[in-house]
Amino acid sequence: SNRPTKLQKRLVQLEQNEFIKPLLDDSPDPILQDIRDIPKICNDIQEDWKDVGLNRMTAWHLGQCIQKRLQGRVDGSVKTKTNEVDILVTGCEVSLWLAEQFCADLLKCFPQLGIKAVSSNKLLGLFGQELSMPCIGFPYTKRTLDMTDPIVIIVSHSGGTFGPLACSN
């Protein structure tokens, strides 16, 4: 049979993939080059939002999920609990920092929702894959977080960092 296996469906094509950009030429001063690239990158980001692409579709879908969650609060189909997590944002290292900043912004927009940024590695320790390993000195446990059907956002620059990747499984 020519049907792709489960593993083949998850593989990312590295060549002729519009989402993977070729490496740039080496620069004698990579930091100065990064600084010089900032205006172009900011412009590229602004331009990307003008077309219907993955960023706009993802933002639209997130908006729909948040609207549904808020509507559930209004009509009573989503019960409000003190420890409920409506939106869980996870990542590790620099991606976790970005996730935390995003949560801070979301909380300003939606103060009535339970929005948490939690390290992917801590989530893996808390909920485990095969075996749960409680995190000492970590304020969250299975009892302190009600994660009944939250909106989950996994932040990862590469998509291949172990913690976020394992959480996606």
Side-chain angles (χ1 to χ4, degrees):
S1 152
N2 288 337
R3 293 176 50 199
T5 65
K6 243 177 146 175
L7 175 63
Q8 288 171 324
K9 288 179 183 178
R10 295 188 59 174
L11 295 176
V12 175
Q13 182 178 334
L14 297 178
E15 294 178 347
Q16 298 176 347
N17 182 334
E18 66 179 298
F19 301 111
I20 298 178
K21 306 294 183 213
L23 293 175
L24 301 174
D25 293 332
D26 286 338
S27 170
D29 188 341
I31 294 172
L32 178 62
Q33 188 59 49
D34 282 352
I35 292 169
R36 287 181 177 153
D37 288 342
I38 290 172
K40 180 191 179 314
I41 290 169
C42 288
N43 184 62
D44 289 351
I45 290 169
Q46 291 296 320
E47 290 297 315
D48 185 60
W49 285 92
K50 291 180 181 177
D51 296 321
V52 177
L54 289 178
N55 284 329
R56 280 185 57 187
M57 290 190 313
T58 302
W60 180 85
H61 187 68
L62 175 60
Q64 294 296 304
C65 290
I66 292 172
Q67 184 178 11
K68 181 179 176 186
R69 194 73 174 205
L70 290 169
Q71 185 60 46
R73 289 279 179 95
V74 170
D75 66 24
S77 63
V78 174
K79 301 294 181 205
T80 305
K81 299 175 214 148
T82 309
N83 61 346
E84 183 171 23
V85 178
D86 295 297
I87 302 175
L88 174 68
V89 187
T90 188
C92 67
E93 300 167 353
V94 174
S95 296
L96 177 58
W97 177 84
L98 184 66
E100 290 168 341
Q101 299 309 304
F102 182 61
C103 282
D105 293 340
L106 277 178
L107 274 168
K108 288 177 183 170
C109 297
F110 306 104
Q112 66 278 35
L113 292 179
I115 302 172
K116 300 278 187 217
V118 181
S119 157
S120 299
N121 292 322
K122 296 250 172 97
L123 283 176
L124 289 173
L126 184 60
F127 294 102
Q129 294 183 74
E130 300 283 326
L131 175 65
S132 173
M133 298 290 290
C135 301
I136 304 299
F138 184 58
Y140 302 128
T141 67
K142 288 182 181 180
R143 283 182 266 151
T144 62
L145 287 179
D146 179 356
M147 301 243 255
T148 306
D149 196 30
I151 298 165
V152 178
I153 300 170
I154 301 173
V155 181
S156 175
H157 179 266
S158 67
T161 310
F162 169 76
L165 185 61
C167 282
S168 72
N169 292 328

